Amino acid sequence: MANFFDQLGDILFLDIETASLTEKFEDLSPRLKDEWIKKEKLIQTDHGKVEPGALYFDKAGIHAEFGQVICVGVGYFQWKKKDKKLVFRSKVFSNDDERELLLSLNGLLEKKKWVLCAHNGKEFDFPFLCRRMLVQGVSLPEPLQIAGKKPWEVRHLDTLELWKFGDYKHYTRLELLAAVFGIPTSKEDLDGSQVNTTFHLEKDINRIKTYCRKDVEVTARVYLAMHPQLDEMEIEMVHLEDSPKHHKD
């Protein structure tokens, strides 16, 4: 058990929130407009005629070439042996300038040999971060460098993958796992489909940050739920000051 707690302390739980690069399709550069129209033809589900750019606001945020990272929530556990309890410390990085946000995150990721854990992180969070860092001219921190590494050398965990147990057909939302394990929802005020509207139209980054932080906590609790021997353990949640605070509220 002691070894488990040592390993647990090396895991950085992570969640990112993303939005379209611009509020309006018309504000994209001409080259990106052309590329989005090509992308749109591939992702549209309506076989009828779709006005060019019609899917941009709702869909661009999940594509790193047309989206941006607007906040990143992180958290890690500390084992208080004397008190026999776990402390989960979390914070959210946000910044009007995506490059500055990613540089701040980069600084944290370089501090130790973290094992990164996110829900669907291998398909979304990790590659999205890597792509946006390169677009913004930010060097990839060691935990996100996978080129040339053997599979067992990549320190990435994914609660979605852990729940699949090798079943590649199966996709399970984080919210469903939270419901299955009796973990409080992170969707009380917001869900992923509302982030772009909340960011671009409502200009309410604080709502998004709160949602992002809760998703990180849910992911961490789901990970613990996959280790039933810890069910009865007390967990103290500590919210560290968000950093940096350069956003406009």
Side-chain angles (χ1 to χ4, degrees):
M1 183 64 75
N3 187 49
F4 174 81
F5 287 126
D6 291 339
Q7 294 174 351
L8 184 63
D10 290 333
I11 300 175
L12 186 71
F13 296 90
L14 180 149
D15 179 70
I16 70 173
E17 299 302 331
T18 64
S20 56
L21 274 176
T22 58
E23 178 182 332
K24 298 177 181 178
F25 171 68
E26 292 75 18
D27 294 334
L28 282 177
S29 68
R31 291 179 70 185
L32 283 180
K33 280 183 187 176
D34 291 342
E35 290 301 322
W36 175 257
I37 290 172
K38 294 180 176 67
K39 171 74 74 174
E40 206 168 45
K41 291 176 181 178
L42 298 175
I43 64 176
Q44 68 183 58
T45 55
D46 185 353
H47 295 294
K49 187 175 181 180
V50 175
E51 187 72 20
L55 300 181
Y56 175 75
F57 189 82
D58 291 330
K59 302 294 185 182
I62 62 173
H63 301 279
E65 300 82 3
F66 305 97
Q68 60 179 313
V69 180
I70 56 175
C71 68
V72 181
V74 297
Y76 63 94
F77 285 105
Q78 288 183 320
W79 167 236
K80 300 295 185 180
K81 186 175 181 180
K82 183 178 178 180
D83 301 323
K84 293 186 178 179
K85 72 176 181 181
L86 283 171
V87 177
F88 187 72
R89 300 183 181 276
S90 65
K91 72 185 303 181
V92 179
F93 291 89
S94 68
N95 197 303
D96 287 336
D97 186 324
E98 184 190 35
R99 186 172 190 275
E100 291 301 317
L101 186 164
L102 295 174
L103 283 171
S104 296
L105 177 66
N106 187 299
L108 173 64
L109 296 184
E110 290 283 19
K111 282 187 175 180
K112 64 181 290 186
K113 285 195 171 184
W114 293 108
V115 176
L116 302 183
C117 182
H119 191 76
N120 201 29
K122 292 184 178 182
E123 287 289 326
F124 183 69
D125 302 72
F126 306 149
F128 199 106
L129 282 172
C130 290
R131 291 163 184 159
R132 291 310 301 172
M133 282 184 175
L134 294 183
V135 168
Q136 293 290 1
V138 176
S139 299
L140 297 183
E142 192 276 335
L144 285 176
Q145 294 177 14
I146 63 174
K149 288 184 179 179
K150 298 177 176 62
W152 56 88
E153 294 175 332
V154 178
R155 301 190 308 280
H156 293 172
L157 293 173
D158 190 326
T159 47
L160 172 60
E161 185 179 79
L162 292 173
W163 185 249
K164 283 182 176 182
F165 291 98
D167 178 1
Y168 291 101
K169 304 184 300 298
H170 202 64
Y171 177 83
T172 308
R173 296 175 64 233
L174 179 62
E175 176 63 13
L176 175 54
L177 285 184
V180 167
F181 288 118
I183 296 168
T185 181
S186 59
K187 319 293 184 188
E188 292 175 331
D189 181 52
L190 200 65
D191 66 43
S193 67
Q194 300 169 303
V195 168
N196 214 47
T197 296
T198 305
F199 180 72
H200 282 301
L201 303 184
E202 299 175 9
K203 315 293 185 186
D204 194 348
I205 189 65
N206 282 334
R207 282 182 69 199
I208 299 171
K209 288 165 60 180
T210 297
Y211 167 61
C212 184
R213 189 200 301 278
K214 288 180 178 179
D215 259 1
V216 172
E217 292 180 0
V218 170
T219 302
R221 288 185 180 276
V222 164
Y223 182 81
L224 289 186
M226 294 180 180
H227 300 81
Q229 68 269 28
L230 301 177
D231 275 354
E232 302 302 319
M233 186 156 297
E234 179 186 352
I235 302 175
E236 177 185 345
M237 295 293 182
V238 176
H239 305 319
L240 304 178
E241 182 179 356
D242 295 345
S243 174
K245 288 189 173 182
H246 296 163
H247 53 270
K248 300 173 184 175
D249 296 330

